[in-house]
């Protein structure tokens, strides 16, 4: 017997904030593929987890006044809880703060050192904390914002260890040529080829300005770069190097499923790291597109419009999973909208699927006392129907195998369309009236067999409703690929259960009201007027000694004279970049002392959970101007 294994991974998620429908997307799709492979008889190992080290996580924990480990414990718990709620069937869950993982990272990096692939040097350049990514001067524009996420970059200058990534340019190009399937879809492969053809630069792989990470072997002043740490999860989780039996069973990974923005790490950096220690490369890296919600980039301000739990509770897991595959063309960017979800639910699921099941089972209930009859004679129309259904199933399998998931779903819907057409064409209600029970039996049996096949094709995507359909059809075995191969897998006579509608139609009543965040604590104008806001020109700005948060600013506030303000913005600004800017302050706040330094007011700043930006004015205005 051939041993069929399938090792599939999701990226490990940053735990700086709660998961949203965008992050759930990768995991849901991975779960669909994992379930499909199990259905096809593979021994599947499906891995997900959390990425818990690095500056971004440290900042998020510090901002909440929490110690990073307990912050990560809490967030990792929330990810696990969500995956359970979404019915995710992962076999492993790795956390980069697991002791074993950290040891493996050190072991791996030591091997790279021993192989002469790591050297010490000086890094001077730009860094995006939210993406935990280094950028070369020639990759960024004069605005100095991250080419990937658009947020402000930080200039860093550190003594670092470097990985000789450049050394692997040729070997990677060669691998890409020999394995055209390595990076998918094709247009993503081409993007990577372009980078490779331009030549690679060595990669800084340690940091010294904070401690939240895996210490560099023999040089603990350095922590290992969060991406190097994170990528190693794919092998530490399956036993490298301590349980080589398990490791060799599953490695190389068959599929790293990722989002497009982290393709470079998976398709260039990770394979080069593996080459450095002499391990085989993953078979496929598939980079999917990004979701927007109602046309907008996903951010916390979208309220419950991005909370997967909200959709699961309102529509059920199956509907959310179906919608994500059906409406977002897998591989491309796409828009998630509750309105479209409801439309798909009502038309594809309630009408084309649920209603057909309902009509068919109702007739079996009525004319055959709820017992599925055996088919009798088959004519040309019946044979053509069977053939067409079997053809679509073959196409479905091929499309699933090549990760054309949206197109595979279309094949299932085509089977439903063919079945509805067959039902309408054969007019079973007329056959019943004519008391042609032999023909009626053939028609009803065939529709049930097609519905069984639909349920099995849907089983990786909509596991709950598939289980329900199988049980209503009296099919009590596990769904398996054998059901695809031949016609007539339903036993008869067997008891069927009519049951309630498979999918309830929904109406999206007042969509806006539901998704708009509610404003509480309304105040009246008089209360607002108590706050005296003024413009102020920054004359000087410097860090408060011994504090990594505070900056002391001296301000010109026009008629109010000079003021000294202390603000918690050091993590987001190089203080000197603020000099000369006109900012907004609360001028009538009682003075207070922060780390022993007096603050005579407060500046205004906007925060989105990741970034902080000081409010400035749009154009020239005198310092001390009033604001209303
Ligand atoms: N920690 C890294 C991955 C390390 S893997 C060795 C990371 N984490 S992440 O939490 O920022 O992103 C995890 C996954 O969620 C990525 O595949 C990313 O593409 C996906 N998504 C996050 N927002 C998304 C959308 N709006 N739409 C689709 N997927 C998105 O990167």
């Amino acid at each position: 017997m051939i041993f069929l294994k399938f090792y599939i991974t999701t990226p490990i998620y940053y735990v700086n904030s709660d998961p949203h429908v965008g992050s759930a997307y990768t995991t849901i799709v991975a779960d669909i593929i994992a379930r499909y492979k199990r259905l096809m008889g593979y021994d599947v190992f499906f891995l997900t987890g959390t990425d818990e080290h690095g500056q971004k996580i440290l900042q998020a924990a510090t901002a909440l006044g929490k110690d990073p480990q307990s912050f990560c414990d809490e967030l990792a718990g929330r990810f696990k809880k969500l995956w359970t709620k979404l019915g995710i069937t992962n076999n492993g869950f790795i956390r980069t703060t697991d002791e074993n993982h950290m040891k493996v990272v050190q072991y791996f990096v030591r091997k790279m050192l021993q192989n002469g692939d790591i050297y010490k040097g000086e890094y001077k350049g730009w860094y995006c904390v939210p993406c935990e990514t280094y950028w070369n001067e020639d990759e960024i524009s004069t605005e100095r914002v991250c080419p990937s996420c658009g947020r402000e970059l930080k200039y860093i200058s550190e003594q670092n260890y470097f990985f000789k990534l450049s050394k692997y340019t040729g070997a990677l190009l060669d691998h890409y040529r020999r394995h055209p399937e390595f990076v998918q879809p094709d247009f993503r492969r081409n993007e990577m080829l372009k980078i490779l053809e331009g030549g690679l630069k060595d990669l800084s792989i340690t940091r010294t300005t904070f401690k939240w990470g895996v210490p560099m072997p023999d040089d603990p002043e350095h922590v290992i770069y969060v991406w190097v740490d994170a990528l190693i999860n794919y092998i530490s989780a399956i036993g490298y190097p301590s349980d080589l039996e398990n490791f060799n069973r599953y490695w190389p990974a068959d599929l790293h499923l990722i989002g497009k923005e982290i393709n470079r790490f998976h398709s260039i950096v990770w394979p080069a790291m593996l080459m450095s220690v002499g391990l085989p490369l993953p078979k496929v890296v598939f980079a999917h597109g990004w979701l927007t919600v109602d046309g907008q980039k996903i951010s916390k301000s979208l309220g419950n419009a991005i909370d997967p739990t909200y959709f699961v509770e309102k529509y059920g897991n199956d509907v959310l999973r179906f919608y994500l595959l059906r409406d977002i063309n897998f591989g491309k960017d796409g828009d998630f909208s509750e309105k479209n979800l409801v439309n798909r639910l009502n038309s594809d699921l309630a009408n084309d699927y649920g209603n057909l099941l309902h009509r068919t089972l109702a007739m079996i209930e009525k004319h055959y006392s709820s017992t599925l009859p055996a088919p009798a004679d088959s004519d040309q129309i019946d044979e053509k129907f069977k053939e067409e259904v079997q053809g679509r199933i073959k196409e479905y399998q091929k499309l699933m195998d090549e990760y054309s998931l949206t197109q595979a779903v279309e094949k299932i819907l085509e089977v439903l369309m063919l079945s509805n057409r067959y039902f309408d064409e054969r007019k079973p209600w007329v056959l019943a009236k004519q008391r042609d029970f032999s023909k009626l039996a053939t028609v009803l049996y065939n529709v049930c067999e097609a519905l069984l096949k639909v349920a099995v094709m849907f089983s990786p995507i909509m596991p709950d409703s598939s289980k329900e359909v199988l049980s209503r059809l009296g099919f009590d075995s596990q769904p398996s690929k054998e059901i695809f191969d031949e016609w007539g897998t339903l036993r008869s006579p067997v008891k069927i259960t009519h049951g309630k509608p498979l999918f309830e139609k929904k109406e999206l009543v007042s969509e806006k009201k539901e998704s708009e965040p509610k404003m509480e604590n309304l105040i009246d104008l008089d209360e607002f007027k108590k706050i005296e806001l003024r413009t102020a020109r920054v004359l000087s700005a410097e860090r408060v000694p011994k504090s990594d948060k505070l900056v002391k600013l001296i301000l010109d506030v026009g008629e109010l004279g000079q003021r000294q303000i202390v603000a918690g913005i050091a993590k987001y600004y190089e203080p000197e970049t603020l000099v000369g800017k006109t900012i907004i302050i609360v001028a009538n706040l009682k003075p207070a002392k922060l780390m022993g330094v007096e603050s005579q007011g407060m500046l205004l700043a906007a925060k989105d959970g990741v970034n902080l930006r000081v409010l400035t004015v749009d154009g020239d205005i005198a310092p001390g101007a009033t604001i209303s």
Side-chain angles (χ1 to χ4, degrees), residues 123-127 133-141 144-145 147 153 162 199-204 264:
Y123 182 81
K124 274 191 164 86
W126 298 93
Y127 194 76
T133 303
Y134 297 96
W135 294 102
N136 299 321
E137 194 76 50
D138 59 357
E139 289 172 306
I140 62 173
S141 67
R144 310 245 151 85
V145 290
L153 295 169
F162 282 79
L200 298 173
K201 291 209 167 72
D202 291 349
L203 178 72
S204 158
R264 197 156 63 134

Side-chain angles (χ1 to χ4, degrees), residues 10-16 20-27 50-52 56 79 130-131 226-227 229-234 257-262 265-266 288-293 297-298 334:
T10 72
I12 48 174
Y13 295 90
Y14 286 130
V15 290
N16 59 308
H20 51 68
V21 64
S23 28
Y25 179 64
T26 318
T27 305
T50 41
D51 192 353
E52 304 185 1
K56 166 184 173 124
F79 273 85
C131 297
V226 61
W227 265 103
D229 170 355
L231 287 162
I232 294 171
N233 93 85
Y234 298 132
L257 185 67
I258 56 162
K260 62 179 183 181
E261 86 289 7
I262 55 175
F265 289 107
H266 285 81
H288 65 67
W290 264 51
L291 303 191
T292 47
V293 168
K297 207 173 151 188
I298 296 181

Side-chain angles (χ1 to χ4, degrees), residues 25 41 67 130 338 384 516 529:
Y25 179 64
D67 98 90
E338 192 173 355
K384 187 167 167 244
E516 256 167 23
K529 279 186 177 160

Side-chain angles (χ1 to χ4, degrees), residues 367-607:
H367 301 291
Y368 300 91
S369 319
S370 296
T371 303
L372 178 70
D377 290 349
S378 201
D379 64 21
Q380 249 187 354
I381 297 180
D382 305 315
E383 288 308 309
K384 187 167 167 244
F385 170 61
K386 291 188 211 171
E387 226 171 78
E388 283 182 326
V389 170
Q390 290 302 94
R392 295 306 197 283
I393 294 175
K394 288 243 147 51
E395 290 176 75
Y396 158 89
Q397 283 176 264
K398 182 170 176 287
L399 290 163
M400 287 296 282
D401 289 338
E402 60 195 34
Y403 310 129
S404 298
L405 306 181
T406 304
Q407 292 65 29
V409 173
E410 281 164 13
K411 293 298 155 194
I412 313 178
L413 296 175
E414 279 175 32
V415 174
L416 284 171
M417 184 269 293
L418 289 168
S419 307
N420 275 298
R421 204 167 68 191
Y422 172 72
F423 191 96
D424 293 341
E425 200 178 340
R426 297 259 72 164
K427 300 190 176 40
W429 59 94
V430 175
L431 296 173
K433 235 188 212 155
Q434 293 166 343
R435 309 195 65 73
D436 186 352
F437 289 114
S438 140
K439 187 80 240 173
L440 182 61
T442 303
V443 173
L444 295 178
Y445 180 91
N446 282 344
V447 177
C448 284
E449 177 74 18
L451 283 166
L452 172 75
K453 288 172 166 29
V454 165
V456 176
M457 285 193 277
F458 264 144
S459 66
I461 304 157
M462 299 199 291
D464 298 339
S465 54
S466 289
K467 211 167 147 207
E468 177 66 22
V469 172
L470 259 55
S471 129
R472 289 197 197 179
L473 291 172
F475 189 88
D476 51 14
S477 323
Q478 280 298 313
S480 69
K481 74 168 192 313
E482 282 68 43
I483 297 168
F484 293 154
D485 298 337
E486 53 194 273
W487 197 264
T489 48
L490 268 177
R491 280 188 302 121
S492 54
V494 72
K495 277 273 170 220
I496 58 95
T497 318
H498 182 189
K500 60 178 182 26
L502 192 60
F503 295 98
E504 246 178 76
K505 282 197 178 183
K506 296 260 161 141
E507 227 176 297
L508 193 57
V509 210
S510 52
E511 187 192 352
K512 272 282 165 297
K513 258 186 223 140
E514 274 186 67
S515 61
E516 256 167 23
K518 282 201 189 84
M519 261 300 165
E520 282 162 5
N521 304 331
L522 293 178
I523 57 165
D524 55 38
L525 194 60
D526 283 345
E527 280 174 283
F528 174 71
K529 279 186 177 160
K530 284 187 195 155
I531 303 170
E532 192 177 331
L533 299 173
R534 297 279 191 139
T535 58
R537 180 128 52 230
V538 181
L539 300 175
S540 72
E542 61 188 42
R543 283 172 191 275
V544 171
K546 294 204 199 92
S547 165
D548 58 353
K549 273 196 200 154
L550 301 178
V551 171
K552 183 175 92 178
L553 302 110
I554 305 293
L555 307 172
D556 171 5
V557 200
E559 60 182 16
L560 301 183
Q562 281 194 7
R563 287 277 180 100
Q564 169 174 304
I565 277 186
V566 180
I569 56 172
K571 290 219 168 62
Y572 306 93
Y573 282 95
E574 290 305 329
E576 53 281 10
T577 60
L578 289 165
V579 175
K581 289 202 167 146
T582 299
I583 64 170
I584 296 168
I585 64 162
V586 180
N588 60 340
L589 200 67
K590 285 188 189 140
K593 276 202 170 156
L594 297 170
M595 296 272 290
V597 186
E598 180 164 276
S599 182
Q600 305 153 330
M602 183 177 101
L603 61 72
L604 297 192
K607 269 175 110 167

